[in-house]
Amino acid sequence: MEKKEKENQNFSLTVWKKMLPFFRPYYRYFVTTVSLNVLLVLMDVGIPLFQSYAIDQFIVPNTLEGIGVFAVIYGLAILMQTVSLFFSVRAAIHIEMNVGKDLKRAQFVHLQKLSFSYYNTTPVGYIHARVMSDTLKIATVLAWGLVDMFWAFAYVAGVFGIMFVLNWRLALIVLLVVPFLALITAFFQKRMLVWNRKIRETNSEITGAFNEGITGVQTSKTLGMERLNDKAFQEITGRMKGSSMTLAKLTAVYMPLILFFSSMVTAFVLARGGYFVQNQLIALGTLSVFLSYAVGIFEPIQQLARLLADLISCQANIERVTDLLEQEPNVVDRADVIQKYGDAFSPKQENWERIKGDIVFEDVSFMYPDGKEYVLEHFNLHVPAGMNVAIVGETGAGKSTLVNLMGRFFEPTSGRILIDGADYRERSQLWLHSQIGYVLQNPHLFSGTVRENIRY
């Protein structure tokens, strides 16, 4: 399902608007980097004009008169370009780091709110890929992609504008090649994007396989599954290698084609421009400007195509992250309960009642959210406060389900569970979880000392 959605997605502003709450706090950095990129475009487009001036005013007439003033102005232009680039990059890094941090924190907090059922049906590798890989891609595109697209578009527009002002005939030679370049780029970028997606999908599978291989190593060793695990992992990494090789082959064809067209345009400009110079139709400095632009114009055009593909591709990452953030927990406290007792992050312990421990299962039936059969039906049980009860039964009889229901990790499909005579949905989850002790069959050890784990 996820793969099909990604391959058939269309660009949607609605999806991108979901990133506004994470982007809005740092819009000043975005305005800063865009403003500085305007200066960068002016410098990048204008530097070859300095070259033209130097050729026509100093080299051709063989004089150094006025070169001091020229050097100062040229030096200031280079300094302005360097400073603008420094602060632009710094602002973009602020956006990338902060948006990435906020996205990761939002997902981490939301994951702590989700119910057990989400983790029963969602692979750990999937969650890990959302929090790490997808978040990194989104932050990178928001910080660099949009600004780089603005720079590339403005640079291309500025270069063609100056070329047509200087000499429209030479400008047409460069412009006529652009449609061929656009067609080649569209052809290859579409296919490269498909294989890029396949690589990311397989990378998520590898992440999941690594995670399961490490967390399940005791089971694997006990059952002697090393050889089968290795075979399965080789199959996934083999697909990763195949996809990467296909992408590399496409790149190996695409880049030389672009270089070929770039060289052809340079040759045409040099030949035709040389003729114009010989017949004194243009100055030598003007020809040098055209050669600089002819060589440099293709990289921004490629960059525009690549960034547009990244933008479309990033939409899939946003959809996966927002899908996680929009997951609703199956077990939630009512608004009035939260108002009185608080939630897990802002508890109002002053309103918490003391628990005695009287537990009643009243006509409880339960089916797991992803199940099709009832695990418990019309179940009744009364455990008075202070009584010790052992629940015994064969595997699958519902022992763990009973305990999970009592701890409100799941809620009854029908019926009620009463704690000290009150439906436990009238109290907050944190109130209940803070009053019970739960020793898991397979306890998880957090990183840290034994003392810290016991205290936890």
Side-chain angles (χ1 to χ4, degrees), residues 43-89:
M43 294 300 103
D44 293 337
V45 172
I47 292 298
L49 296 177
F50 281 95
Q51 173 186 309
S52 171
Y53 183 86
I55 291 173
D56 292 337
Q57 299 298 320
F58 305 124
I59 296 176
V60 172
N62 194 24
T63 179
L64 296 179
E65 185 178 350
I67 197 169
V69 176
F70 171 83
V72 170
I73 296 174
Y74 184 72
L76 289 173
I78 295 297
L79 179 63
M80 184 181 297
Q81 183 185 44
T82 304
V83 172
S84 298
L85 181 61
F86 171 79
F87 285 104
S88 175
V89 169

mmCIF file of all heavy atoms in Angstrom, residues 43-89:
data_model
loop_
_atom_site.group_PDB
_atom_site.id
_atom_site.type_symbol
_atom_site.label_atom_id
_atom_site.label_comp_id
_atom_site.label_asym_id
_atom_site.label_seq_id
_atom_site.Cartn_x
_atom_site.Cartn_y
_atom_site.Cartn_z
ATOM 1 N N MET A 43 25.537 38.510 -7.537
ATOM 2 C CA MET A 43 26.983 38.339 -7.608
ATOM 3 C C MET A 43 27.368 37.266 -8.617
ATOM 4 O O MET A 43 28.281 37.447 -9.437
ATOM 5 C CB MET A 43 27.541 37.971 -6.224
ATOM 6 C CG MET A 43 27.411 39.071 -5.173
ATOM 7 S SD MET A 43 28.273 40.589 -5.633
ATOM 8 C CE MET A 43 26.898 41.617 -6.147
ATOM 9 N N ASP A 44 26.667 36.106 -8.559
ATOM 10 C CA ASP A 44 26.995 34.999 -9.457
ATOM 11 C C ASP A 44 26.786 35.369 -10.918
ATOM 12 O O ASP A 44 27.559 34.970 -11.794
ATOM 13 C CB ASP A 44 26.148 33.762 -9.105
ATOM 14 C CG ASP A 44 26.499 33.192 -7.741
ATOM 15 O OD1 ASP A 44 27.623 33.450 -7.289
ATOM 16 O OD2 ASP A 44 25.652 32.494 -7.148
ATOM 17 N N VAL A 45 25.711 36.133 -11.177
ATOM 18 C CA VAL A 45 25.441 36.569 -12.548
ATOM 19 C C VAL A 45 26.401 37.682 -12.958
ATOM 20 O O VAL A 45 26.823 37.772 -14.126
ATOM 21 C CB VAL A 45 23.972 37.049 -12.684
ATOM 22 C CG1 VAL A 45 23.733 37.687 -14.054
ATOM 23 C CG2 VAL A 45 23.022 35.875 -12.493
ATOM 24 N N GLY A 46 26.783 38.516 -12.012
ATOM 25 C CA GLY A 46 27.589 39.684 -12.334
ATOM 26 C C GLY A 46 29.081 39.445 -12.425
ATOM 27 O O GLY A 46 29.797 40.207 -13.106
ATOM 28 N N ILE A 47 29.604 38.394 -11.770
ATOM 29 C CA ILE A 47 31.052 38.148 -11.775
ATOM 30 C C ILE A 47 31.629 38.040 -13.189
ATOM 31 O O ILE A 47 32.679 38.636 -13.486
ATOM 32 C CB ILE A 47 31.391 36.889 -10.952
ATOM 33 C CG1 ILE A 47 31.118 37.130 -9.459
ATOM 34 C CG2 ILE A 47 32.850 36.459 -11.155
ATOM 35 C CD1 ILE A 47 31.943 38.229 -8.837
ATOM 36 N N PRO A 48 30.976 37.290 -14.122
ATOM 37 C CA PRO A 48 31.523 37.241 -15.491
ATOM 38 C C PRO A 48 31.578 38.607 -16.168
ATOM 39 O O PRO A 48 32.407 38.830 -17.066
ATOM 40 C CB PRO A 48 30.549 36.304 -16.224
ATOM 41 C CG PRO A 48 30.000 35.424 -15.153
ATOM 42 C CD PRO A 48 29.868 36.326 -13.968
ATOM 43 N N LEU A 49 30.715 39.542 -15.764
ATOM 44 C CA LEU A 49 30.752 40.886 -16.348
ATOM 45 C C LEU A 49 32.030 41.628 -15.937
ATOM 46 O O LEU A 49 32.557 42.446 -16.705
ATOM 47 C CB LEU A 49 29.518 41.681 -15.917
ATOM 48 C CG LEU A 49 28.171 41.127 -16.407
ATOM 49 C CD1 LEU A 49 27.018 41.955 -15.856
ATOM 50 C CD2 LEU A 49 28.119 41.094 -17.932
ATOM 51 N N PHE A 50 32.517 41.345 -14.726
ATOM 52 C CA PHE A 50 33.805 41.895 -14.308
ATOM 53 C C PHE A 50 34.920 41.368 -15.219
ATOM 54 O O PHE A 50 35.826 42.091 -15.614
ATOM 55 C CB PHE A 50 34.103 41.508 -12.851
ATOM 56 C CG PHE A 50 33.385 42.352 -11.837
ATOM 57 C CD1 PHE A 50 32.189 41.934 -11.294
ATOM 58 C CD2 PHE A 50 33.914 43.566 -11.429
ATOM 59 C CE1 PHE A 50 31.521 42.703 -10.353
ATOM 60 C CE2 PHE A 50 33.261 44.346 -10.482
ATOM 61 C CZ PHE A 50 32.048 43.915 -9.950
ATOM 62 N N GLN A 51 34.800 40.071 -15.515
ATOM 63 C CA GLN A 51 35.767 39.445 -16.417
ATOM 64 C C GLN A 51 35.750 40.120 -17.787
ATOM 65 O O GLN A 51 36.804 40.417 -18.376
ATOM 66 C CB GLN A 51 35.427 37.951 -16.541
ATOM 67 C CG GLN A 51 36.221 37.184 -17.570
ATOM 68 C CD GLN A 51 35.708 35.756 -17.710
ATOM 69 O OE1 GLN A 51 35.558 35.056 -16.725
ATOM 70 N NE2 GLN A 51 35.444 35.347 -18.934
ATOM 71 N N SER A 52 34.559 40.377 -18.302
ATOM 72 C CA SER A 52 34.410 41.040 -19.598
ATOM 73 C C SER A 52 35.027 42.440 -19.575
ATOM 74 O O SER A 52 35.746 42.842 -20.512
ATOM 75 C CB SER A 52 32.916 41.128 -19.962
ATOM 76 O OG SER A 52 32.721 41.931 -21.109
ATOM 77 N N TYR A 53 34.744 43.156 -18.479
ATOM 78 C CA TYR A 53 35.283 44.521 -18.359
ATOM 79 C C TYR A 53 36.809 44.495 -18.333
ATOM 80 O O TYR A 53 37.465 45.336 -18.980
ATOM 81 C CB TYR A 53 34.742 45.166 -17.088
ATOM 82 C CG TYR A 53 35.170 46.597 -16.893
ATOM 83 C CD1 TYR A 53 34.449 47.642 -17.466
ATOM 84 C CD2 TYR A 53 36.314 46.916 -16.155
ATOM 85 C CE1 TYR A 53 34.844 48.970 -17.305
ATOM 86 C CE2 TYR A 53 36.726 48.226 -15.988
ATOM 87 C CZ TYR A 53 35.985 49.252 -16.552
ATOM 88 O OH TYR A 53 36.388 50.559 -16.388
ATOM 89 N N ALA A 54 37.380 43.541 -17.593
ATOM 90 C CA ALA A 54 38.839 43.454 -17.486
ATOM 91 C C ALA A 54 39.473 43.168 -18.848
ATOM 92 O O ALA A 54 40.523 43.740 -19.198
ATOM 93 C CB ALA A 54 39.221 42.365 -16.488
ATOM 94 N N ILE A 55 38.857 42.298 -19.629
ATOM 95 C CA ILE A 55 39.409 41.966 -20.952
ATOM 96 C C ILE A 55 39.364 43.183 -21.880
ATOM 97 O O ILE A 55 40.355 43.504 -22.555
ATOM 98 C CB ILE A 55 38.633 40.784 -21.563
ATOM 99 C CG1 ILE A 55 38.922 39.504 -20.771
ATOM 100 C CG2 ILE A 55 39.012 40.587 -23.032
ATOM 101 C CD1 ILE A 55 38.085 38.319 -21.190
ATOM 102 N N ASP A 56 38.199 43.849 -21.903
ATOM 103 C CA ASP A 56 38.026 44.967 -22.840
ATOM 104 C C ASP A 56 38.780 46.230 -22.424
ATOM 105 O O ASP A 56 39.211 47.013 -23.291
ATOM 106 C CB ASP A 56 36.540 45.299 -22.992
ATOM 107 C CG ASP A 56 35.763 44.191 -23.700
ATOM 108 O OD1 ASP A 56 36.412 43.405 -24.429
ATOM 109 O OD2 ASP A 56 34.531 44.114 -23.520
ATOM 110 N N GLN A 57 38.945 46.430 -21.112
ATOM 111 C CA GLN A 57 39.543 47.682 -20.642
ATOM 112 C C GLN A 57 41.038 47.573 -20.331
ATOM 113 O O GLN A 57 41.748 48.580 -20.385
ATOM 114 C CB GLN A 57 38.817 48.183 -19.390
ATOM 115 C CG GLN A 57 37.345 48.477 -19.623
ATOM 116 C CD GLN A 57 37.121 49.571 -20.647
ATOM 117 O OE1 GLN A 57 37.846 50.574 -20.674
ATOM 118 N NE2 GLN A 57 36.136 49.383 -21.512
ATOM 119 N N PHE A 58 41.512 46.365 -20.032
ATOM 120 C CA PHE A 58 42.911 46.224 -19.615
ATOM 121 C C PHE A 58 43.717 45.317 -20.539
ATOM 122 O O PHE A 58 44.831 45.643 -20.936
ATOM 123 C CB PHE A 58 42.994 45.702 -18.174
ATOM 124 C CG PHE A 58 42.236 46.545 -17.182
ATOM 125 C CD1 PHE A 58 41.259 45.981 -16.378
ATOM 126 C CD2 PHE A 58 42.498 47.901 -17.050
ATOM 127 C CE1 PHE A 58 40.557 46.763 -15.473
ATOM 128 C CE2 PHE A 58 41.796 48.686 -16.142
ATOM 129 C CZ PHE A 58 40.818 48.112 -15.340
ATOM 130 N N ILE A 59 43.156 44.154 -20.879
ATOM 131 C CA ILE A 59 43.938 43.179 -21.646
ATOM 132 C C ILE A 59 44.049 43.589 -23.117
ATOM 133 O O ILE A 59 45.154 43.628 -23.691
ATOM 134 C CB ILE A 59 43.314 41.773 -21.513
ATOM 135 C CG1 ILE A 59 43.388 41.318 -20.059
ATOM 136 C CG2 ILE A 59 44.027 40.780 -22.422
ATOM 137 C CD1 ILE A 59 42.722 39.980 -19.787
ATOM 138 N N VAL A 60 42.886 43.880 -23.747
ATOM 139 C CA VAL A 60 42.914 44.235 -25.170
ATOM 140 C C VAL A 60 43.703 45.530 -25.427
ATOM 141 O O VAL A 60 44.587 45.568 -26.299
ATOM 142 C CB VAL A 60 41.474 44.331 -25.737
ATOM 143 C CG1 VAL A 60 41.502 44.881 -27.165
ATOM 144 C CG2 VAL A 60 40.804 42.969 -25.706
ATOM 145 N N PRO A 61 43.447 46.615 -24.681
ATOM 146 C CA PRO A 61 44.225 47.846 -24.929
ATOM 147 C C PRO A 61 45.626 47.814 -24.316
ATOM 148 O O PRO A 61 46.406 48.751 -24.489
ATOM 149 C CB PRO A 61 43.385 48.946 -24.285
ATOM 150 C CG PRO A 61 42.448 48.285 -23.367
ATOM 151 C CD PRO A 61 42.350 46.853 -23.756
ATOM 152 N N ASN A 62 45.931 46.733 -23.584
ATOM 153 C CA ASN A 62 47.260 46.558 -22.977
ATOM 154 C C ASN A 62 47.616 47.741 -22.075
ATOM 155 O O ASN A 62 48.659 48.392 -22.211
ATOM 156 C CB ASN A 62 48.329 46.389 -24.059
ATOM 157 C CG ASN A 62 49.646 45.880 -23.480
ATOM 158 O OD1 ASN A 62 49.665 45.248 -22.428
ATOM 159 N ND2 ASN A 62 50.750 46.158 -24.169
ATOM 160 N N THR A 63 46.709 47.996 -21.106
ATOM 161 C CA THR A 63 46.934 49.088 -20.166
ATOM 162 C C THR A 63 46.438 48.686 -18.789
ATOM 163 O O THR A 63 45.575 47.820 -18.650
ATOM 164 C CB THR A 63 46.195 50.360 -20.612
ATOM 165 O OG1 THR A 63 46.431 51.392 -19.641
ATOM 166 C CG2 THR A 63 44.705 50.123 -20.716
ATOM 167 N N LEU A 64 47.019 49.317 -17.766
ATOM 168 C CA LEU A 64 46.612 49.068 -16.383
ATOM 169 C C LEU A 64 45.944 50.301 -15.767
ATOM 170 O O LEU A 64 45.702 50.340 -14.561
ATOM 171 C CB LEU A 64 47.817 48.664 -15.529
ATOM 172 C CG LEU A 64 48.502 47.338 -15.912
ATOM 173 C CD1 LEU A 64 49.691 47.085 -15.008
ATOM 174 C CD2 LEU A 64 47.510 46.174 -15.826
ATOM 175 N N GLU A 65 45.601 51.256 -16.571
ATOM 176 C CA GLU A 65 44.996 52.473 -16.060
ATOM 177 C C GLU A 65 43.599 52.193 -15.492
ATOM 178 O O GLU A 65 42.732 51.640 -16.168
ATOM 179 C CB GLU A 65 44.877 53.507 -17.188
ATOM 180 C CG GLU A 65 44.356 54.861 -16.698
ATOM 181 C CD GLU A 65 44.284 55.875 -17.824
ATOM 182 O OE1 GLU A 65 44.813 55.600 -18.924
ATOM 183 O OE2 GLU A 65 43.707 56.947 -17.594
ATOM 184 N N GLY A 66 43.421 52.554 -14.225
ATOM 185 C CA GLY A 66 42.145 52.331 -13.553
ATOM 186 C C GLY A 66 41.986 50.951 -12.944
ATOM 187 O O GLY A 66 40.927 50.625 -12.394
ATOM 188 N N ILE A 67 43.048 50.135 -12.984
ATOM 189 C CA ILE A 67 42.924 48.762 -12.474
ATOM 190 C C ILE A 67 42.802 48.729 -10.954
ATOM 191 O O ILE A 67 42.226 47.802 -10.382
ATOM 192 C CB ILE A 67 44.116 47.895 -12.942
ATOM 193 C CG1 ILE A 67 43.766 46.401 -12.764
ATOM 194 C CG2 ILE A 67 45.393 48.236 -12.175
ATOM 195 C CD1 ILE A 67 44.729 45.449 -13.413
ATOM 196 N N GLY A 68 43.335 49.764 -10.273
ATOM 197 C CA GLY A 68 43.245 49.802 -8.814
ATOM 198 C C GLY A 68 41.798 49.902 -8.353
ATOM 199 O O GLY A 68 41.361 49.161 -7.463
ATOM 200 N N VAL A 69 41.050 50.836 -8.933
ATOM 201 C CA VAL A 69 39.637 50.993 -8.580
ATOM 202 C C VAL A 69 38.863 49.721 -8.931
ATOM 203 O O VAL A 69 38.018 49.233 -8.161
ATOM 204 C CB VAL A 69 39.029 52.200 -9.319
ATOM 205 C CG1 VAL A 69 37.527 52.306 -9.032
ATOM 206 C CG2 VAL A 69 39.738 53.479 -8.902
ATOM 207 N N PHE A 70 39.178 49.162 -10.116
ATOM 208 C CA PHE A 70 38.520 47.912 -10.544
ATOM 209 C C PHE A 70 38.776 46.787 -9.541
ATOM 210 O O PHE A 70 37.852 46.050 -9.171
ATOM 211 C CB PHE A 70 39.032 47.510 -11.930
ATOM 212 C CG PHE A 70 38.571 46.141 -12.367
ATOM 213 C CD1 PHE A 70 37.312 45.960 -12.935
ATOM 214 C CD2 PHE A 70 39.390 45.030 -12.199
ATOM 215 C CE1 PHE A 70 36.886 44.699 -13.328
ATOM 216 C CE2 PHE A 70 38.964 43.760 -12.586
ATOM 217 C CZ PHE A 70 37.713 43.599 -13.156
ATOM 218 N N ALA A 71 40.011 46.669 -9.089
ATOM 219 C CA ALA A 71 40.374 45.605 -8.154
ATOM 220 C C ALA A 71 39.626 45.744 -6.831
ATOM 221 O O ALA A 71 39.178 44.751 -6.241
ATOM 222 C CB ALA A 71 41.881 45.606 -7.914
ATOM 223 N N VAL A 72 39.496 46.996 -6.366
ATOM 224 C CA VAL A 72 38.784 47.240 -5.097
ATOM 225 C C VAL A 72 37.312 46.842 -5.235
ATOM 226 O O VAL A 72 36.756 46.145 -4.380
ATOM 227 C CB VAL A 72 38.910 48.717 -4.670
ATOM 228 C CG1 VAL A 72 37.979 49.008 -3.491
ATOM 229 C CG2 VAL A 72 40.349 49.023 -4.286
ATOM 230 N N ILE A 73 36.676 47.282 -6.328
ATOM 231 C CA ILE A 73 35.260 46.972 -6.538
ATOM 232 C C ILE A 73 35.067 45.471 -6.709
ATOM 233 O O ILE A 73 34.141 44.876 -6.138
ATOM 234 C CB ILE A 73 34.726 47.727 -7.774
ATOM 235 C CG1 ILE A 73 34.782 49.239 -7.523
ATOM 236 C CG2 ILE A 73 33.295 47.299 -8.078
ATOM 237 C CD1 ILE A 73 34.410 50.069 -8.735
ATOM 238 N N TYR A 74 35.957 44.851 -7.471
ATOM 239 C CA TYR A 74 35.872 43.399 -7.676
ATOM 240 C C TYR A 74 36.065 42.654 -6.353
ATOM 241 O O TYR A 74 35.349 41.685 -6.051
ATOM 242 C CB TYR A 74 36.920 42.962 -8.691
ATOM 243 C CG TYR A 74 36.854 41.494 -9.050
ATOM 244 C CD1 TYR A 74 35.823 40.993 -9.833
ATOM 245 C CD2 TYR A 74 37.829 40.606 -8.603
ATOM 246 C CE1 TYR A 74 35.758 39.648 -10.162
ATOM 247 C CE2 TYR A 74 37.781 39.266 -8.919
ATOM 248 C CZ TYR A 74 36.746 38.786 -9.705
ATOM 249 O OH TYR A 74 36.691 37.460 -10.019
ATOM 250 N N GLY A 75 37.027 43.131 -5.557
ATOM 251 C CA GLY A 75 37.267 42.504 -4.255
ATOM 252 C C GLY A 75 36.068 42.624 -3.331
ATOM 253 O O GLY A 75 35.721 41.682 -2.614
ATOM 254 N N LEU A 76 35.422 43.804 -3.347
ATOM 255 C CA LEU A 76 34.226 44.004 -2.528
ATOM 256 C C LEU A 76 33.090 43.083 -2.975
ATOM 257 O O LEU A 76 32.335 42.552 -2.148
ATOM 258 C CB LEU A 76 33.776 45.466 -2.596
ATOM 259 C CG LEU A 76 34.665 46.485 -1.871
ATOM 260 C CD1 LEU A 76 34.194 47.906 -2.153
ATOM 261 C CD2 LEU A 76 34.678 46.218 -0.364
ATOM 262 N N ALA A 77 32.973 42.888 -4.297
ATOM 263 C CA ALA A 77 31.934 41.996 -4.821
ATOM 264 C C ALA A 77 32.171 40.557 -4.356
ATOM 265 O O ALA A 77 31.234 39.863 -3.938
ATOM 266 C CB ALA A 77 31.903 42.066 -6.349
ATOM 267 N N ILE A 78 33.441 40.118 -4.416
ATOM 268 C CA ILE A 78 33.782 38.763 -3.959
ATOM 269 C C ILE A 78 33.530 38.637 -2.458
ATOM 270 O O ILE A 78 33.014 37.612 -1.977
ATOM 271 C CB ILE A 78 35.250 38.438 -4.284
ATOM 272 C CG1 ILE A 78 35.464 38.398 -5.804
ATOM 273 C CG2 ILE A 78 35.653 37.103 -3.663
ATOM 274 C CD1 ILE A 78 34.684 37.324 -6.518
ATOM 275 N N LEU A 79 33.893 39.681 -1.698
ATOM 276 C CA LEU A 79 33.671 39.667 -0.248
ATOM 277 C C LEU A 79 32.180 39.589 0.061
ATOM 278 O O LEU A 79 31.757 38.820 0.937
ATOM 279 C CB LEU A 79 34.284 40.915 0.389
ATOM 280 C CG LEU A 79 34.110 41.050 1.913
ATOM 281 C CD1 LEU A 79 34.817 39.909 2.631
ATOM 282 C CD2 LEU A 79 34.643 42.404 2.394
ATOM 283 N N MET A 80 31.376 40.373 -0.650
ATOM 284 C CA MET A 80 29.931 40.352 -0.443
ATOM 285 C C MET A 80 29.360 38.974 -0.786
ATOM 286 O O MET A 80 28.495 38.456 -0.077
ATOM 287 C CB MET A 80 29.258 41.424 -1.310
ATOM 288 C CG MET A 80 27.754 41.553 -1.081
ATOM 289 S SD MET A 80 27.009 42.810 -2.145
ATOM 290 C CE MET A 80 27.850 44.280 -1.545
ATOM 291 N N GLN A 81 29.865 38.363 -1.844
ATOM 292 C CA GLN A 81 29.415 37.023 -2.227
ATOM 293 C C GLN A 81 29.749 36.011 -1.128
ATOM 294 O O GLN A 81 28.914 35.177 -0.755
ATOM 295 C CB GLN A 81 30.093 36.624 -3.541
ATOM 296 C CG GLN A 81 29.642 35.275 -4.092
ATOM 297 C CD GLN A 81 30.445 34.878 -5.320
ATOM 298 O OE1 GLN A 81 31.661 35.029 -5.344
ATOM 299 N NE2 GLN A 81 29.757 34.376 -6.333
ATOM 300 N N THR A 82 30.966 36.108 -0.587
ATOM 301 C CA THR A 82 31.410 35.170 0.461
ATOM 302 C C THR A 82 30.598 35.340 1.737
ATOM 303 O O THR A 82 30.140 34.362 2.334
ATOM 304 C CB THR A 82 32.904 35.390 0.759
ATOM 305 O OG1 THR A 82 33.658 35.245 -0.445
ATOM 306 C CG2 THR A 82 33.399 34.387 1.783
ATOM 307 N N VAL A 83 30.415 36.592 2.154
ATOM 308 C CA VAL A 83 29.660 36.862 3.382
ATOM 309 C C VAL A 83 28.204 36.423 3.229
ATOM 310 O O VAL A 83 27.623 35.822 4.138
ATOM 311 C CB VAL A 83 29.747 38.360 3.750
ATOM 312 C CG1 VAL A 83 28.811 38.689 4.904
ATOM 313 C CG2 VAL A 83 31.177 38.732 4.105
ATOM 314 N N SER A 84 27.618 36.731 2.062
ATOM 315 C CA SER A 84 26.229 36.335 1.822
ATOM 316 C C SER A 84 26.075 34.824 1.868
ATOM 317 O O SER A 84 25.120 34.297 2.447
ATOM 318 C CB SER A 84 25.762 36.865 0.458
ATOM 319 O OG SER A 84 25.791 38.258 0.417
ATOM 320 N N LEU A 85 27.027 34.124 1.261
ATOM 321 C CA LEU A 85 26.975 32.662 1.260
ATOM 322 C C LEU A 85 27.109 32.113 2.676
ATOM 323 O O LEU A 85 26.383 31.187 3.066
ATOM 324 C CB LEU A 85 28.085 32.104 0.371
ATOM 325 C CG LEU A 85 28.147 30.581 0.238
ATOM 326 C CD1 LEU A 85 26.862 30.041 -0.375
ATOM 327 C CD2 LEU A 85 29.353 30.159 -0.601
ATOM 328 N N PHE A 86 28.011 32.709 3.465
ATOM 329 C CA PHE A 86 28.220 32.239 4.841
ATOM 330 C C PHE A 86 26.938 32.351 5.665
ATOM 331 O O PHE A 86 26.498 31.391 6.294
ATOM 332 C CB PHE A 86 29.342 33.053 5.495
ATOM 333 C CG PHE A 86 29.494 32.792 6.968
ATOM 334 C CD1 PHE A 86 30.151 31.666 7.430
ATOM 335 C CD2 PHE A 86 28.957 33.675 7.901
ATOM 336 C CE1 PHE A 86 30.276 31.415 8.798
ATOM 337 C CE2 PHE A 86 29.081 33.443 9.264
ATOM 338 C CZ PHE A 86 29.748 32.305 9.707
ATOM 339 N N PHE A 87 26.323 33.522 5.651
ATOM 340 C CA PHE A 87 25.134 33.730 6.469
ATOM 341 C C PHE A 87 23.916 33.000 5.894
ATOM 342 O O PHE A 87 23.024 32.581 6.641
ATOM 343 C CB PHE A 87 24.843 35.227 6.627
ATOM 344 C CG PHE A 87 25.762 35.918 7.585
ATOM 345 C CD1 PHE A 87 26.793 36.722 7.117
ATOM 346 C CD2 PHE A 87 25.614 35.745 8.951
ATOM 347 C CE1 PHE A 87 27.653 37.352 8.008
ATOM 348 C CE2 PHE A 87 26.472 36.376 9.845
ATOM 349 C CZ PHE A 87 27.497 37.183 9.376
ATOM 350 N N SER A 88 23.884 32.810 4.588
ATOM 351 C CA SER A 88 22.796 32.036 3.980
ATOM 352 C C SER A 88 22.871 30.575 4.413
ATOM 353 O O SER A 88 21.859 29.969 4.789
ATOM 354 C CB SER A 88 22.870 32.143 2.457
ATOM 355 O OG SER A 88 21.911 31.310 1.856
ATOM 356 N N VAL A 89 24.067 30.015 4.350
ATOM 357 C CA VAL A 89 24.263 28.623 4.786
ATOM 358 C C VAL A 89 23.961 28.481 6.269
ATOM 359 O O VAL A 89 23.329 27.508 6.709
ATOM 360 C CB VAL A 89 25.708 28.159 4.475
ATOM 361 C CG1 VAL A 89 26.011 26.828 5.149
ATOM 362 C CG2 VAL A 89 25.911 28.050 2.970
#
